[in-house]
Amino acid sequence: MAIRRAEQSDFRNLCITAMRAFADDPVMRWLYPDDDDYFLPNGAVFENSMTNWLAHQQPWCTDDAAALAIWFPPVEPGASKAEWIAIGPPPSEDRLARFALIGPVMAENKPAEPYWYLQLLATHPDWQRKGLGAQLMQVVFEQADEQGVPCYLETERPELVAYYRTFGFDVRSEWVVDPEATLGEVGPTMWGMYRPTP
């Protein structure tokens, strides 16, 4: 399966792939606990993020958009972020509260030095366990190793901690989102994983 840069024409298929891949993800379902919100037609739950990823990150994907990776290139600490493109209705107060809880704790656990950031790796369930995720990571591993820059990601599933370890990542930190259960229940556990330069 060929790996290439995603294009605007891939938008809908990328949204559907991401929605299907993360349908049982602890963080996504903590952010979107209501099935009516998460399982909107055509992967609409990812439309806002995908609009920004295509505008600023140009995701990597397979030819049929059945798998994709969102890689952020290394930036110096304190560098300004690209302006967020907001589409659709504004988030509910509950969702804003959830983002307000998860955002700072994720930021606190990121490395201080520049790194390649794998924000999302998604494969449609019908295409999982065929090595597509490995190919989508390898395309940036080659750049990172040539540049002498580490890679970093977060995961919220123990089995994925083991998976990413096979690619040179190791656990750097572990935390619980909203441990005080301010929204009624304790949030998911997350692991920050770091792949050093060779």
Side-chain angles (χ1 to χ4, degrees):
M1 182 74 70
I3 302 297
R4 61 173 174 80
R5 288 291 200 171
E7 301 174 355
Q8 191 61 41
S9 59
D10 298 308
F11 178 83
R12 183 54 56 201
N13 287 337
L14 292 172
C15 287
I16 293 171
T17 290
M19 182 269 289
R20 291 289 307 278
F22 281 82
D24 59 355
D25 178 80
V27 165
M28 280 302 296
R29 298 318 309 271
W30 178 78
L31 290 169
Y32 296 87
D34 190 331
D35 282 355
D36 290 340
D37 290 333
Y38 186 81
F39 292 105
L40 291 171
N42 298 315
V45 68
F46 275 94
E47 284 182 351
N48 217 317
S49 294
M50 199 65 66
T51 295
N52 285 272
W53 290 332
L54 282 167
H56 304 308
Q57 305 309 132
Q58 197 180 2
W60 293 92
C61 69
T62 55
D63 269 342
D64 57 2
L68 69 146
I70 310 299
W71 280 102
F72 283 67
V75 296
E76 294 297 328
S80 59
K81 295 181 180 179
E83 185 174 347
W84 182 261
I85 303 167
I87 63 169
S92 65
E93 289 187 12
D94 176 74
R95 189 153 306 118
L96 287 173
R98 291 173 188 269
F99 278 109
L101 286 167
I102 197 171
V105 71
M106 288 175 65
E108 289 169 11
N109 283 280
K110 292 185 187 298
E113 71 274 18
Y115 55 89
W116 278 92
Y117 177 42
L118 180 58
Q119 184 175 22
L120 179 140
L121 183 66
T123 301
H124 190 286
D126 293 345
W127 287 93
Q128 290 176 1
R129 297 175 180 82
K130 298 182 184 296
L132 300 180
Q135 293 182 57
L136 287 162
M137 287 189 285
Q138 188 60 41
V139 69
V140 169
F141 288 164
E142 292 172 2
Q143 295 181 56
D145 293 348
E146 184 177 333
Q147 297 166 348
V149 176
C151 300
Y152 176 76
L153 60 83
E154 297 105 358
T155 188
E156 43 278 354
R157 301 178 68 165
E159 66 271 24
L160 291 182
V161 171
Y163 171 75
Y164 287 121
R165 278 190 166 128
T166 66
F167 297 98
F169 287 92
D170 207 352
V171 173
R172 180 179 180 274
S173 57
E174 177 181 348
W175 64 92
V176 175
V177 180
D178 192 17
E180 291 81 23
T182 58
L183 297 180
E185 60 182 349
V186 173
T189 299
M190 300 184 71
W191 291 269
M193 301 192 71
Y194 185 85
R195 179 183 182 272
T197 54

